[in-house]
Amino acid sequence: MPQGETPAHLPSDLPPAFATGDQGADLVMNGGLPSQATSLIIGPPGAGKTVLALQIGFAAAQAGRNVVYLTNISESHIRMLQHARNFSFFNESLIRQNFNLISINSSVQQQGIDATLNFIMDVARSAKADMLIIDSYLGLKQLFQSQGPQGRNLMFTLSSRLSMLAVTTILLGEYRYDDIHIEPEFAVADAIVELSYSIYGLKRSRYLSVIKLRGKAFLEGLHRLIISDQGITVYPRQESLPLQPKTFVSTERLSLGIPQLDAMLSGGVFAGSTTLIAGGAGTGKTLLGLHFLQAGRPDEVSLMVSFQESEAQLRQRGAEIDRDPGPHLANPIEVLHLSAVELIPDQVAWLIRQKVVHHNVRRIVIDTIDDFEKSSQYKERINDFIVALIAMLGQHKVTTLLIREMPFMVGHASLQSINQWFATDTIIFMHHVELNSRLQRSITVVKQRGSNHDQALRQMDILDGAITIGEPFSNVSHILTGLPALSRIDSGKESARE
Amino acid sequence: MSNDMQILIVDDEDSIADMIADALRDEGYTVLVAYDGRRGLELARSYQPSLILSDVMMPFMDGLKMAELLQHELGAETPPLVFMSAVDCRNQTQAYGSFLFKPFTLETLFATIETILQV
């Protein structure tokens, strides 16, 4: 038989994985924990091991599989059930039906290692278990540590025996990361999932990472995890998702909802493209975003992702743009408002992804991308994060407006400070200009990939809650400095600053 | 209090079974303990206790199966049963005995036992 060929009598495919009950965790683990294999869930106390194991167990029981949850010294059943009832995945009707909670303590304490192994095997057999969870395996192992090689190799013996019953085994333990290099169970395990947390300032952040998943690809690195009433929710690190080259290139132009701006862009932005709206405070960036969303088609959903203004505020402002919307403007607009305080960038990306995949979202405004940077303890990753987010939206043919706050009112404008300029197709710059002792708004198209565009710096105003764009500034220069000078004209007068 | 009543406790959580056993011994009862349903059934057959306190979810044989087999074998001679569980399964247990929702206090336990045994 040639090398690498699978013998005909052996199954060539792995059995379907056990889903975790959370889509994010399943995505990270490429479907979930491997079936008929041994998985370790490790992490310090309070990291969420028991919650994750219960969630996986209930997901399996819900799917009609028989689950046995064996406990030793971890927690009494009364406490465990009291805590588990707080999670939405808990289903009382599955208890006893096909989710059995069984204590292993009496066997461990009184009968030794052989009797304990037999006990586990007998329990698995009598319950016709598809899944066996031991909480905590490390506690069990430590009790037998002194019993020579048999104690140290407990997991090898256990997993070999359970594999004969085609049982999926999940072992929990308060291991430290360094134990991976020392303890033999890490070599035996088919999958290792680590739950951890880090403390940054006053904030504690939880993470899930897959250290090993035999025979399958998985999303590398740390992924944010939260524990809520839903149980464990994992937000895959956006940059870890496979990035595919953009294959969708459209020549269709989409209106930004402001005819003069569409004209500046030779008819609008390309469908599926990304536009960066950069400008100082009060220049009308959010309003431009609302114009763009309201110009969507009635059969497509538009999404406003806002970290500052609430849905009520945004809807009120949107109503002011067009007080008498025609049928062409009656497109559905959803608002995803998340507080900028302790924002989790990967949670935002995940929620956007869910909206895009399940709600036919075709236009998105993210207001602002600065909030990702402000909220992340790993600021150096945010540029890659935004590039990956843009790539994901492009793959789903979403036309995106990213709003970026520039840190000035008037003064020198430098796009060098915008890290995302190279990843976007179009850049529109909004700016305040000090002219004749008053602030004047200006707007210009800095870049439009694959298209001609207006090069002029135009006057812009907000009238009755809507943006209007006027003529280019005339007889002045150095507008981008925010402090323009009068151009030399026949009268010989030279500077507005004089 | 001293009496000749014998109570069988069946619970896989040894800490709970042992704690209840100690408390009942202090009250003067003779106590038998089993940590799974199979062993519980054996002890019930052999000793025919005055009362059985049984968990529901247990290895090898759950409390309901044990009760069903006992009733099949002993009929009217089956000792009174009190099920103890953190899961509300009164609908399933009511055909075989009374029910105590875990956690419960020792006072509640003693009162339940005294009512059933009329001591």
Side-chain angles (χ1 to χ4, degrees):
Chain A
M1 187 172 65
Q3 199 177 4
E5 199 170 293
T6 308
H9 63 283
L10 291 178
S12 56
D13 293 326
L14 294 168
F18 272 99
T20 61
D22 173 65
Q23 288 183 37
D26 288 345
L27 188 63
V28 169
M29 295 182 210
N30 198 352
L33 286 178
S35 294
Q36 299 172 27
T38 302
S39 299
L40 273 169
I41 298 176
I42 66 169
K49 299 182 297 297
T50 298
V51 180
L52 178 59
L54 283 169
Q55 185 167 317
I56 294 169
F58 273 99
Q62 191 77 49
R65 314 299 289 273
N66 291 326
V67 179
V68 174
Y69 199 109
L70 290 176
T71 63
N72 51 4
I73 50 170
S74 56
E75 211 174 355
S76 81
H77 291 178
I78 298 170
R79 279 294 168 94
M80 184 174 275
L81 287 168
Q82 279 173 339
H83 295 156
R85 280 192 183 96
N86 294 325
F87 298 113
S88 61
F89 62 75
F90 182 82
N91 184 342
E92 193 103 29
S93 69
L94 295 173
I95 302 275
R96 275 193 59 250
Q97 198 83 22
N98 44 2
F99 188 102
N100 279 283
L101 192 56
I102 286 168
S103 172
I104 201 174
N105 252 9
S106 58
S107 171
V108 172
Q109 305 283 7
Q110 296 168 19
Q111 296 170 53
I113 190 164
D114 282 329
T116 300
L117 282 168
N118 290 336
F119 176 91
I120 293 170
M121 291 300 290
D122 287 350
V123 165
R125 248 197 310 261
S126 64
K128 296 185 174 62
D130 299 301
M131 178 184 284
L132 187 83
I133 300 167
I134 301 182
D135 184 5
S136 119
Y137 170 76
L138 184 60
L140 190 65
K141 184 187 164 182
Q142 282 168 344
L143 283 170
F144 299 130
Q145 198 88 31
S146 59
Q147 298 191 15
Q150 204 188 358
R152 283 196 298 278
N153 296 327
L154 177 66
M155 181 166 145
F156 178 73
T157 315
L158 189 61
S159 62
S160 314
R161 291 192 192 181
L162 287 168
S163 69
M164 304 292 286
L165 301 179
V167 174
T168 298
T169 310
I170 300 172
L171 307 174
L172 277 57
E174 293 174 356
Y175 293 93
R176 293 163 303 166
Y177 185 80
D178 290 346
D179 294 333
I180 292 169
H181 308 291
I182 303 163
E183 301 297 338
E185 46 267 41
F186 290 96
V188 176
D190 300 291
I192 303 169
V193 176
E194 184 190 27
L195 304 184
S196 58
Y197 42 69
S198 72
I199 296 172
Y200 178 73
L202 299 177
K203 194 165 77 176
R204 185 192 296 268
S205 304
R206 297 170 190 271
Y207 296 93
L208 176 145
S209 62
V210 178
I211 295 170
K212 177 181 179 182
L213 193 56
R214 205 169 260 160
K216 281 207 300 183
F218 56 88
L219 299 184
E220 300 270 3
L222 301 179
H223 307 275
R224 275 300 298 268
L225 173 156
I226 62 163
I227 300 176
S228 67
D229 293 350
Q230 309 296 308
I232 295 273
T233 304
V234 173
Y235 300 113
R237 196 165 43 88
Q238 186 63 35
E239 309 92 283
S240 71
L241 294 166
L243 271 180
Q244 285 155 12
K246 194 172 179 177
T247 52
F248 173 70
V249 181
S250 174
T251 54
E252 183 195 355
R253 299 271 187 170
L254 298 187
S255 170
L256 288 173
I258 305 166
Q260 304 95 324
L261 184 55
D262 292 339
M264 290 170 74
L265 294 158
S266 300
V269 293
F270 290 114
S273 67
T274 304
T275 300
L276 183 72
I277 310 290
T283 50
K285 302 180 299 299
T286 303
L287 193 56
L288 197 158
L290 291 170
H291 274 277
F292 167 68
L293 295 178
Q294 291 198 351
R297 285 179 12 195
D299 59 334
E300 294 173 348
V301 176
S302 298
L303 176 66
M304 181 69 168
V305 182
S306 171
F307 306 125
Q308 301 294 340
E309 292 184 67
S310 70
E311 179 167 359
Q313 287 173 302
L314 291 165
R315 292 211 182 274
Q316 188 183 353
R317 291 183 68 184
E320 285 176 11
I321 292 175
D322 197 332
R323 292 191 177 84
D324 184 23
H328 65 290
L329 289 174
N331 64 314
I333 297 176
E334 292 191 13
V335 175
L336 179 62
H337 173 68
L338 295 157
S339 169
V341 178
E342 300 208 351
L343 192 73
I344 303 172
D346 292 310
Q347 180 185 29
V348 179
W350 181 256
L351 294 174
I352 291 175
R353 180 193 159 95
Q354 300 298 98
K355 294 271 187 192
V356 166
V357 171
H358 301 297
H359 293 216
N360 191 34
V361 169
R362 286 291 166 267
R363 291 178 181 230
I364 284 186
V365 173
I366 300 176
D367 187 13
T368 69
I369 55 174
D370 309 76
D371 290 300
F372 291 132
E373 220 162 78
K374 289 175 199 158
S375 65
S376 179
Q377 67 190 82
Y378 302 107
K379 299 200 187 309
E380 66 280 3
R381 69 166 283 224
I382 289 302
N383 193 45
D384 282 352
F385 166 82
I386 291 172
V387 170
L389 182 61
I390 290 171
M392 183 271 285
L393 292 170
Q395 279 167 22
H396 289 94
K397 303 179 182 179
V398 176
T399 310
T400 305
L401 248 66
L402 304 176
I403 294 177
R404 172 91 204 210
E405 183 93 21
M406 302 294 281
F408 52 75
M409 183 85 173
V410 292
H412 281 281
S414 170
L415 289 174
Q416 297 307 313
S417 64
I418 304 175
N419 291 323
Q420 295 78 31
W421 67 269
F422 63 88
T424 54
D425 302 294
T426 304
I427 299 176
I428 295 171
F429 187 54
M430 302 171 83
H431 196 208
H432 274 123
V433 178
E434 182 190 340
L435 199 60
N436 298 326
S437 300
R438 69 183 284 266
L439 282 177
Q440 168 69 53
R441 292 185 178 91
S442 79
I443 187 166
T444 186
V445 177
V446 178
K447 161 188 167 182
Q448 190 178 24
R449 198 172 268 157
S451 173
N452 293 328
H453 62 85
D454 186 10
Q455 305 278 351
L457 292 148
R458 289 181 179 268
Q459 299 178 55
M460 192 199 105
D461 216 339
I462 299 173
L463 295 172
D464 295 330
I467 290 176
T468 58
I469 295 174
E471 296 299 313
F473 286 93
S474 59
N475 300 330
V476 286
S477 61
H478 302 96
I479 289 169
L480 287 180
T481 66
L483 300 167
L486 285 178
S487 300
R488 185 178 294 279
I489 51 174
D490 290 345
S491 68
K493 286 187 179 174
E494 197 171 329
S495 173
R497 274 174 271 176
E498 286 177 352
Chain B
M1 183 171 60
S2 176
N3 56 58
D4 56 357
M5 300 284 188
Q6 194 175 47
I7 296 178
L8 169 62
I9 301 164
V10 192
D11 197 320
D12 61 327
E13 277 199 278
D14 59 344
S15 55
I16 289 180
D18 295 347
M19 185 272 290
I20 294 173
D22 287 345
L24 292 178
R25 283 189 193 107
D26 289 347
E27 291 295 302
Y29 295 103
T30 304
V31 179
L32 300 162
V33 178
Y35 299 115
D36 64 71
R38 207 161 53 194
R39 180 71 182 142
L41 182 65
E42 286 169 8
L43 291 180
R45 279 173 181 152
S46 306
Y47 293 91
Q48 300 211 3
S50 315
L51 177 79
I52 301 173
L53 293 171
S54 177
D55 189 13
V56 178
M57 249 188 310
M58 289 182 293
F60 312 127
M61 184 184 291
D62 68 20
L64 284 168
K65 186 72 187 169
M66 182 186 77
E68 185 191 322
L69 291 173
L70 275 175
Q71 219 156 56
H72 180 73
E73 289 176 23
L74 304 176
E77 300 299 311
T78 306
L81 266 150
V82 178
F83 291 98
M84 318 172 285
S85 179
V87 178
D88 187 358
C89 40
R90 274 173 284 199
N91 284 345
Q92 291 85 41
T93 57
Q94 64 187 5
Y96 301 105
S98 28
F99 185 85
L100 277 177
F101 197 87
K102 285 180 182 173
F104 49 77
T105 62
L106 284 176
E107 284 72 22
T108 306
L109 178 68
F110 295 154
T112 305
I113 293 170
E114 285 163 15
T115 303
I116 293 170
L117 296 181
Q118 296 179 333
V119 290

